[in-house]
Amino acid sequence: MLYLASKSPRRAELLARLGLDFGVLDLDIPEHRQPNEPAEEYVRRVAREKAGAGLLTVMSVPQALVLGADTEVILDDEVFGKPRDAADAAAMLRRLSGRTHQAVTAVSLVNASREAQAVSVSEVSFAELGEDEIAAYVATGQADGKAGAYGIQGAAERFVRHLSGSYSGVMGLPLFETSRLLKSFGVQ
C-alpha cells in the first residue's frame, strides 16, 4: 500500500495523475533549517523526515510504502518557506521580483527495508512585480501555505517569465522523478 506523507492537496492531486491508489497521512513535521545546513540538504532532510515519520505510523500495514516530499524556494542560499502572514508574503515576492530563484523539491520513498530519494531543481525567473500586483496577489490568499509565497499553478503563473526544469516539481511533486522512484520499488 502506498501512502503520501503530506497535507498538501497539490501533492495529492499530482500523485493521483500517475494513476495510483494511495492513502494520505496527515503529519506535522517541523521544518526548520539547521545552522550552516546547505539549502538543498535541508530540503532533502525534511523530505526524508516526512517519509520516515509516515512509515512509523503505518508499520502495521504489510508492504507499506511511504512517499514524503518537501519543496522550498531558494534565492541566494536563503530558503523561502511558507509565509507567516500577508506582510511576509509580500516581502518574499518583492525579493523574488525580477530575479531567478530555484524551486527545489526532494522526494523520499521508504518501506521497511529500503529508502531512496530524488531531487528536482528548477530555475524560475520572475518578471519585475509592481507593488499593486504583489498586493493584489497576496489578497487572493494564494500565497498562503506556499513556499516562496506563490503557487505556479494559480494566479502567480503570470509572474513566471521563464521556467527551466519541472513544472510539477515547482508545484510540489516532480512527476518524472517520482515515477522513476516508484518504478524502482516495483510500483507501476
Side-chain angles (χ1 to χ4, degrees), residues 44-60:
R44 287 175 170 272
R45 178 179 55 80
V46 172
R48 278 192 307 275
E49 288 177 357
K50 289 177 180 180
L55 186 61
L56 288 175
T57 67
V58 295
M59 285 301 287
S60 62

Side-chain angles (χ1 to χ4, degrees), residues 8-79:
S8 166
R10 289 164 305 285
R11 281 203 185 102
E13 172 195 328
L14 287 165
L15 187 57
R17 290 181 190 178
L18 296 178
L20 303 170
D21 290 327
F22 61 93
V24 176
L25 304 173
D26 187 359
L27 303 171
D28 255 331
I29 303 301
E31 296 183 24
H32 303 289
R33 187 174 176 193
Q34 302 301 316
N36 301 315
E37 183 176 30
E40 188 175 310
E41 182 50 39
Y42 163 68
V43 180
R44 287 175 170 272
R45 178 179 55 80
V46 172
R48 278 192 307 275
E49 288 177 357
K50 289 177 180 180
L55 186 61
L56 288 175
T57 67
V58 295
M59 285 301 287
S60 62
V61 177
Q63 309 298 314
L65 183 60
V66 179
L67 188 149
D70 187 48
T71 301
E72 300 294 346
V73 166
I74 300 169
L75 178 68
D76 300 332
D77 196 48
E78 183 179 345
V79 174

